Amino acid sequence: MTSFEEPAITRQGVDEAILSCEGLTKAFGGVNAVNGATFDVPRGKITALIGPNGAGKTTVVNILSGAMKSDSGSMRLGSTDITNWERYKIARLGLMRTFQLSRELSGLTVLENLLAAPKVQAGESLFNIFFRPRLLKREERQNIERATEILRTYGLYDLRDNRARELSGGQKKLLEISRGVMASPSLFLLDEPMAGVNPALIERIGGYILDMKAQGVTVLMIEHNLNIVEKICDNVIVLAEGRTLATGRLSDLRNNPEVVQAYLGEVINAGTGH
Amino acid sequence: MSAFWYYVFTLVFFLFDYFILAMGLNIQYGETGILNFAYIAFVALGAYVTGAVSMPNSVGTGQQYIFGWGIPFPFNLIMGGVAAMVLAFVVALITLRRLRTDYLAMVLISLSLVFYDIVNNYVRLFNGADGLYNVPEPMSGVFHLTLNAFVPFFALVTGAVALILWGVMSRITRSPLGRTFRAIRDDPDVAAALGKGVFRYQLTSMLIGSFYAGVGGGLLIQFGGSFNPTAWLPGETFVVFAVIIVGGVGNNVGLLMGALLVETLLIHLPAFLPNIPGHPGLIEYIDTMVVGVVLMLMLWFRPQGVVPERLRRFPQPAGELANRDGHSVAPPEQSHYVAAITTDDSEPKDAQ
Ligand SMILES: Nc1ncnc2c1ncn2[C@@H]1O[C@H](COP(=O)(O)OP(=O)(O)O)[C@@H](O)[C@H]1O
Ligand SMILES: [Mg+2]
C-alpha cells in the first residue's frame, strides 16, 4: 500500500491522455446508443463516466475494450490506434475492464480466477508444458505469490479455494476487481463497481481504486453515486444520449446548465432549458 | 483360452478405448466448453485413415480405398490421430470463429451428417457402405498371435496407449493452459477481456481432442480388423457424451469411471447376455434406452458426475506458513484512503 496523496487538481489540456476517442457511434437497430462520444482520459488519474441510465456508458466501455465494434469513430490507447482491434489484443496492451453485472469464472476457484488473469503466460504454451517444466513452476509460483497478496488485500484470502460461483454478490464484485488488478492494467475500466453493494464495501472499493491510482493505474469508472465521484475522481465525463455533454471537475459541472438538465436535473428537476 | 476370457478382454479393450475417446471429448467440451456434436466423425476418420494407410495398395484387394501404403502399427495409428487433427483444423476455421455455442453445436451435427454421407457414398474414399476389412493385424509380423491371444494382447496395448495419453492429458489439464481452457469454458468474454485469444485456445483444444478421437478410432479398427458406417452412426457421439457426463466432466478419473459404467457395463456387457426367449435383439434396444435413462437421471440428480471435477488447490507461498496463527482470516488490509472517504447516506445524485 502506498502513502496518502491528495488527488491532484486536473489541469485540463495539459494532462497527457492515456486514452482518447473521437466520434464513437454505435446503433442497435434504431437506437443510437452511442452517438459521437468524444473524450480523453488523462493518464494516472481517476476519471468518472457519468450520465443517466441508457446514456450509453456501458456501450462506450464495450467499444473501448473491443467487446463491440463501433459503427464509426476512432480510439487511441497511448500512441496506438486501437480502432476495430480485437478485444484480447486491446487487453494485452494493458486495458482491463469489469462488467456491470459481475462475471466470475464460475467453475474456477477464487485463486484460479486470479491466476488466469496474467495476460500472457509461458504455461499456456504446449511446448513449454512438456519441455520447460522448471520455467512453468517458477512462473506459477510467482503468480501464486502475487495473487495471494492481492487476495489478502481484497479480503478474499480465506475464500481462495472456493469456486467463484459460491461467492456472494459483493464478493464477486471484489473478485472481479482484484482479477483485473492481477492483470497489471495500465488503464482499468470499471463499470459501476459500487452498484448494489453495502455502504461499508463501497468505502473499501473506493479505497482500492485510490490505491490503484497511487500505483500508477489510470482508472475510468462508471459511477452514479456523486458523493463517491466527488471524493475519489479527479475528472468527470458526462455522457447523455450517447454524446459527450461535458468534461471537467464535478464542482464545475454542477454549474453547467446543460449537465444539470441532462443528468443532475433528473433528480432535482432543476433545468434551465436549451 | 476360454470364451469367458475372450469376452472379458473385449470389455477391457472397450473400457480403455472409450477412456481415450472420453479424454478427447472432455478436453473439448468439459474443459473448453466446445459442444462438439460431430465427435464421432473425428473418431471415424481416425479409424479409416489408420486402416487405409496400413493396408496394401488397393489394386486387387476387392476394396477401394485411398492411401494403401502398408504403414505398420503404431505409425498408422499416429497418422489416424493426425488426420483427425487436420479435419478439426478445417472444421474449427469454418465454425469456431463466428458461431455461438448453440449454433456451433447445430453446425457440427450437420457437418457430421454430411461427412457420413460422403464416406458412405463416395466409395473410392474408404470403400463406401462396405467399409474397410481385412485390415492387417498390428504387429502380426512380430508376435504371430492366434485370434484368441490377440484379444488380450491388444487390450493391453490399448491400455498402455491409454496410460500414455492419460499422462499427457493430466499434464495439460493441470497446466496454466488447462486453466485458460476452463476460463474460456466458463466465460469466453471474460477470458478475452483478460487478453486470451479465445479462438486460438479453442483451436488448440479442438486439435488435442481430435488427436485422441483419431487414435481411439484407429485402435477400434485395429482391434476388429474392419470398420464401416454402421460403426459410427452420428448418434454414437452421444454415447461418448454419456460417458463423460456420467463419469464426471472435467475429471480424468471420472472419465475412466464413465467408460466403465456406460461403455463397458451398459453398452457392451448386455451384448453377451443370452437372448430373452422369443425376443431376439430386445436386449440391444433396452440397452440404448437404459443409457438414455441413466443419462437423464445423472443430469437430474448428480450433474457433476460420479467423480466431480477436482477443486484445484495450490501450495501457498512460504510466507503463508509464518502467518498461520489460527486466523489466516486476514482482515482486508486497511487502505490508507478508506478513512478519507465518508459515506453519508444522502441521496447520491443530489446536486447543489
Ligand atoms: N446489446 C444491446 N442490444 C440492443 N440494445 C442495447 C444493447 N446494449 C445497450 N443497448 C441500448 O443502448 C442504450 C445504451 O445502453 P447502455 O450503454 O447500457 O447505457 P448505460 O450503461 O449508460 O445505462 C440503451 O437504450 C440500451 O437499451
Ligand atoms: Mg450501464
Side-chain angles (χ1 to χ4, degrees):
Chain A
M1 215 90 355
T2 45
S3 64
F4 181 85
E5 251 180 274
E6 271 309 323
I9 294 165
T10 314
R11 300 169 307 260
Q12 280 273 291
V14 179
D15 293 304
E16 181 212 354
I18 189 171
L19 177 96
S20 44
C21 57
E22 219 181 303
L24 294 180
T25 64
K26 178 79 188 176
F28 298 107
V31 183
N32 292 320
V34 179
N35 199 2
T38 301
F39 57 83
D40 285 357
V41 177
R43 187 185 292 275
K45 300 283 161 58
I46 300 174
T47 302
L49 182 58
I50 66 172
N53 271 328
K57 304 180 295 295
T58 297
T59 308
V60 163
V61 165
N62 282 336
I63 292 171
L64 295 177
S65 61
M68 284 176 184
K69 303 252 182 284
S70 61
D71 299 334
S72 65
S74 67
M75 52 202 204
R76 305 172 65 78
L77 187 60
S79 55
T80 316
D81 189 321
I82 55 165
T83 314
N84 287 329
W85 272 36
E86 278 195 73
R87 49 192 175 165
Y88 77 92
K89 288 185 179 152
I90 295 177
R92 285 184 182 192
L93 273 187
L95 184 151
M96 284 292 136
R97 58 89 52 99
T98 64
F99 295 85
Q100 184 166 350
L101 302 170
S102 2
R103 289 169 80 164
E104 71 285 0
L105 299 169
S106 55
L108 270 57
T109 66
V110 167
L111 179 59
E112 281 183 304
N113 262 266
L114 267 70
L115 293 178
K119 285 160 275 210
V120 185
Q121 302 181 30
E124 288 172 327
S125 133
L126 273 178
F127 178 85
N128 290 338
I129 291 169
F130 290 101
F131 301 105
R132 307 186 65 186
R134 302 239 317 271
L135 170 68
L136 246 72
K137 269 215 177 91
R138 184 150 31 91
E139 179 192 63
E140 193 76 343
R141 201 176 51 233
Q142 285 166 357
N143 282 339
I144 290 174
E145 251 166 53
R146 199 167 122 67
T148 305
E149 202 183 301
I150 294 174
L151 288 179
R152 281 226 174 84
T153 306
Y154 280 79
L156 294 172
Y157 182 72
D158 282 345
L159 298 165
R160 65 189 180 278
D161 289 332
N162 285 54
R163 284 196 208 283
R165 72 168 79 93
E166 298 160 3
L167 267 50
S168 72
Q171 289 165 338
K172 284 179 181 174
K173 279 242 135 108
L174 287 173
L175 176 62
E176 187 160 2
I177 297 170
S178 57
R179 189 177 62 203
V181 169
M182 179 75 189
S184 317
S186 51
L187 173 61
F188 201 176
L189 311 183
L190 300 165
D191 195 345
E192 305 201 15
M194 299 169 183
V197 301
N198 66 53
L201 193 51
I202 289 182
E203 273 194 33
R204 256 171 71 194
I205 294 176
Y208 296 137
I209 293 172
L210 285 166
D211 287 340
M212 288 175 209
K213 173 184 164 186
Q215 282 155 16
V217 180
T218 306
V219 176
L220 175 67
M221 57 187 280
I222 299 177
E223 183 52 61
H224 282 298
N225 185 333
L226 294 187
N227 267 319
I228 295 290
V229 172
E230 181 129 59
K231 265 153 204 150
I232 69 173
C233 298
D234 305 306
N235 203 18
V236 175
I237 298 165
V238 186
L239 210 64
E241 294 170 1
R243 248 184 286 264
T244 324
L245 203 57
T247 60
R249 294 174 58 192
L250 185 63
S251 49
D252 300 337
L253 296 179
R254 284 188 199 273
N255 301 320
N256 179 328
E258 253 191 309
V259 175
V260 170
Q261 193 200 7
Y263 181 51
L264 307 171
E266 205 182 50
V267 178
I268 59 168
N269 245 345
T272 55
H274 277 282
Chain B
M1 190 168 51
S2 72
F4 174 74
W5 288 109
Y6 179 90
Y7 290 143
V8 167
F9 279 105
T10 301
L11 292 180
V12 169
F13 165 78
F14 280 109
L15 170 66
F16 288 139
D17 194 57
Y18 268 73
F19 178 44
I20 295 170
L21 295 184
M23 283 191 285
L25 182 59
N26 182 61
I27 193 166
Q28 295 177 347
Y29 171 65
E31 302 277 332
T32 320
I34 304 167
L35 212 42
N36 185 358
F37 280 170
Y39 192 69
I40 203 66
F42 299 90
V43 178
L45 185 67
Y48 283 125
V49 170
T50 300
V53 297
S54 73
M55 291 161 79
N57 192 299
S58 64
V59 176
T61 57
Q63 303 182 50
Q64 298 182 56
Y65 50 85
I66 51 175
F67 308 126
W69 295 334
I71 308 256
F73 188 88
F75 302 103
N76 60 341
L77 191 64
I78 293 168
M79 291 172 80
V82 171
M85 288 171 88
V86 172
L87 179 65
F89 187 79
V90 176
V91 168
L93 281 187
I94 301 170
T95 58
L96 274 183
R97 248 177 206 288
R98 299 235 156 260
L99 299 173
R100 261 174 29 202
T101 317
D102 39 2
Y103 291 125
L104 176 69
M106 286 192 271
V107 169
L108 284 170
I109 286 194
S110 325
L111 276 179
S112 98
L113 295 172
V114 169
F115 184 67
Y116 191 82
D117 280 346
I118 291 175
V119 172
N120 215 345
N121 294 310
Y122 191 62
V123 180
R124 282 165 57 191
L125 219 44
F126 300 117
N127 210 30
D130 291 339
L132 301 178
Y133 48 88
N134 291 336
V135 177
E137 192 180 293
M139 296 183 274
S140 58
V142 187
F143 291 110
H144 308 288
L145 299 168
T146 63
L147 177 61
N148 272 350
F150 174 75
V151 169
F153 165 73
F154 200 69
L156 294 181
V157 168
T158 303
V161 174
L163 198 65
I164 294 167
L165 291 181
W166 185 4
V168 169
M169 189 58 86
S170 314
R171 198 123 168 206
I172 294 172
T173 51
R174 272 190 278 118
S175 73
L177 178 64
R179 183 166 61 221
T180 300
F181 286 158
R182 290 190 297 282
I184 289 169
R185 169 196 71 189
D186 286 352
D187 194 329
D189 293 333
V190 169
L194 292 172
K196 314 295 178 191
V198 171
F199 171 72
R200 213 194 91 201
Y201 290 112
Q202 288 178 328
L203 176 62
T204 306
S205 171
M206 273 294 276
L207 292 178
I208 298 169
S210 303
F211 183 78
Y212 280 60
V215 167
L219 290 164
L220 277 177
I221 196 173
Q222 291 280 254
F223 183 73
S226 65
F227 197 80
N228 63 52
T230 57
W232 59 288
L233 297 168
E236 282 291 312
T237 292
F238 297 98
V239 174
V240 191
F241 267 101
V243 167
I244 72 172
I245 287 168
V246 169
V249 168
N251 186 312
N252 290 332
V253 179
L255 301 180
L256 189 60
M257 287 297 294
L260 179 68
L261 292 174
V262 175
E263 181 60 19
T264 309
L265 297 185
L266 290 181
I267 306 255
H268 282 281
L269 192 58
F272 296 127
L273 295 177
N275 264 321
I276 298 168
H279 301 280
L282 181 61
I283 288 182
E284 240 173 84
Y285 286 115
I286 294 177
D287 207 24
T288 323
M289 278 158 40
V290 170
V291 173
V293 170
V294 167
L295 193 55
M296 281 197 292
L297 290 177
M298 284 302 292
L299 286 172
W300 199 266
F301 293 109
R302 200 173 160 81
Q304 70 273 41
V306 176
V307 190
E309 187 176 41
R310 212 156 37 87
L311 212 49
R312 282 155 225 265
R313 292 205 174 80
F314 295 83
Q316 291 303 300
E320 156 68 358
L321 293 172
N323 281 352
R324 197 174 281 166
D325 54 0
H327 71 287
S328 65
V329 193
E333 262 171 52
Q334 259 300 314
S335 158
H336 296 270
Y337 295 101
V338 171
I341 304 167
T342 57
T343 37
D344 44 31
D345 285 327
S346 58
E347 179 56 48
K349 284 175 187 168
D350 64 342
Q352 288 150 2

